[in-house]
Amino acid sequence: MKIAIFDSGLGGLSVLNEALKKLPNEQFLYYADKDNVPYGLKSNEEILKFTTKAVKFMQEQGAKAIVIACNTATSVAIKELRSNFNLPIIGMEPAVKKAVDTCKKARTLVIATPVTVKGNKLKELIARVDSDHLIDLVALAKLVEFAENEEFNSPRVKEYLQSELLEFDLSLYSSLVLGCTHFNYFKDSLREILPSHIRLLDGNEGTVNKLKFELERLNLLERSPANVEYFYSGRAVKESAELDKINRYLDRLDKMLFIE
């Protein structure tokens, strides 16, 4: 049986990359909804429809657990998915609690998609952990587009980041939370722009730890040869050019792992 990891595009490869390291003897299925990426500008109804279709497909392919490696899809659809499907479904959550716990009394900036920033799930999370009102949000819609086009460290990317963060006095912040899995590709660009004292945090490690805990609890861990199957909106990815592209993304993520 397989662990399925779902994202609107190739951002969720950052979660797959983490899972491959922590669960090296599992078989994986990665589903990118390339026909409908990006989700961050879609309506809630569209996101729920797309995500439900994807989860149904992954279950039919033999998924024993599914990670919704997309903060936007988690924000909109996780409750309905868990109600409608009888298997463990793990969602993404921006690492705001980690930021509050580790950077007490200093401000945190969360960057995410417009849907995540506006959604109730993130607002409820912040209300639970941010009693001092030290968390600020900013929507960076274009980063998903840049990531899907394999443009990570270009002058255009850095100009966009600088212009969107211009309104914030970054000297007041101790951490920046990556609230979209696509944003992990831009750690080097962010590191060039941000003051050195600001830490970059993401929710990938916590999500994979939760996945591992659920598999152990349900006695679903396996010891099989590691393998990953890739699908774009339900179509198996077999073309060498696309598989090479995915490997380039994974190689970049390995380089980003140690940038904090």
Side-chain angles (χ1 to χ4, degrees), residues 6 47-48 50-56 66 68 73-74 76-87 89:
F6 164 81
I47 293 167
L48 180 58
F50 299 148
T51 310
T52 299
K53 181 180 178 182
V55 169
K56 182 179 179 183
I66 295 174
I68 306 298
T74 299
V76 170
I78 195 71
K79 290 181 181 178
E80 287 83 354
L81 294 175
R82 286 172 175 162
S83 295
N84 295 332
F85 294 93
N86 186 29
L87 77 169
I89 298 179

Side-chain angles (χ1 to χ4, degrees), residues 42-213:
K42 299 286 193 300
S43 69
N44 287 3
E45 291 76 19
E46 288 176 308
I47 293 167
L48 180 58
K49 180 179 74 172
F50 299 148
T51 310
T52 299
K53 181 180 178 182
V55 169
K56 182 179 179 183
F57 174 85
M58 290 183 285
Q59 188 178 45
E60 290 170 349
Q61 295 299 310
K64 63 182 177 182
I66 295 174
V67 179
I68 306 298
C70 174
N71 288 275
T72 300
T74 299
S75 176
V76 170
I78 195 71
K79 290 181 181 178
E80 287 83 354
L81 294 175
R82 286 172 175 162
S83 295
N84 295 332
F85 294 93
N86 186 29
L87 77 169
I89 298 179
I90 314 299
M92 290 295 298
E93 190 171 82
V96 295
K97 186 178 187 303
K98 182 177 181 181
V100 170
D101 289 345
T102 58
C103 308
K104 298 182 186 300
K105 304 304 178 184
R107 300 203 70 81
T108 292
L109 185 61
V110 180
I111 59 174
T113 68
V115 169
T116 300
V117 166
K118 294 174 186 174
N120 289 330
K121 193 172 189 303
L122 179 56
K123 291 175 183 174
E124 290 167 0
L125 172 62
I126 290 173
R128 289 199 308 272
V129 303
D130 182 27
S131 58
D132 294 320
H133 307 291
L134 294 172
I135 294 177
D136 297 313
L137 307 176
V138 59
L140 297 181
K142 283 189 179 180
L143 278 192
V144 174
E145 180 183 339
F146 282 132
E148 290 293 320
N149 290 325
E150 224 174 337
E151 185 175 353
F152 306 121
N153 194 238
S154 69
R156 285 204 315 157
V157 167
K158 285 179 271 194
E159 287 167 11
Y160 172 68
L161 289 170
Q162 286 172 327
S163 66
E164 294 299 313
L165 300 178
L166 194 60
E167 66 178 281
F168 300 96
D169 181 354
L170 296 176
S171 67
L172 302 176
Y173 292 82
S174 65
S175 60
L176 182 140
V177 173
L178 308 175
C180 172
T181 51
H182 281 86
F183 294 0
N184 287 272
Y185 295 111
F186 302 97
K187 284 185 175 181
D188 53 354
S189 294
L190 287 162
R191 192 70 279 161
E192 289 180 40
I193 291 165
L194 297 172
S196 59
H197 68 274
I198 294 182
R199 294 182 61 204
L200 300 177
L201 303 174
D202 66 66
N204 291 350
E205 184 178 12
T207 299
V208 174
N209 286 342
K210 174 66 173 174
L211 167 65
K212 186 177 180 181
F213 173 83

Side-chain angles (χ1 to χ4, degrees), residues 6-66:
F6 164 81
D7 185 41
S8 61
L10 297 177
L13 290 175
S14 60
V15 179
L16 174 65
N17 198 42
E18 182 80 20
L20 285 167
K21 290 173 171 55
K22 281 193 163 57
L23 297 164
N25 300 113
E26 294 283 343
Q27 296 187 18
F28 291 90
L29 182 161
Y30 184 84
Y31 185 114
D33 193 10
K34 295 282 279 184
D35 289 355
N36 299 299
V37 66
Y39 279 11
L41 300 174
K42 299 286 193 300
S43 69
N44 287 3
E45 291 76 19
E46 288 176 308
I47 293 167
L48 180 58
K49 180 179 74 172
F50 299 148
T51 310
T52 299
K53 181 180 178 182
V55 169
K56 182 179 179 183
F57 174 85
M58 290 183 285
Q59 188 178 45
E60 290 170 349
Q61 295 299 310
K64 63 182 177 182
I66 295 174

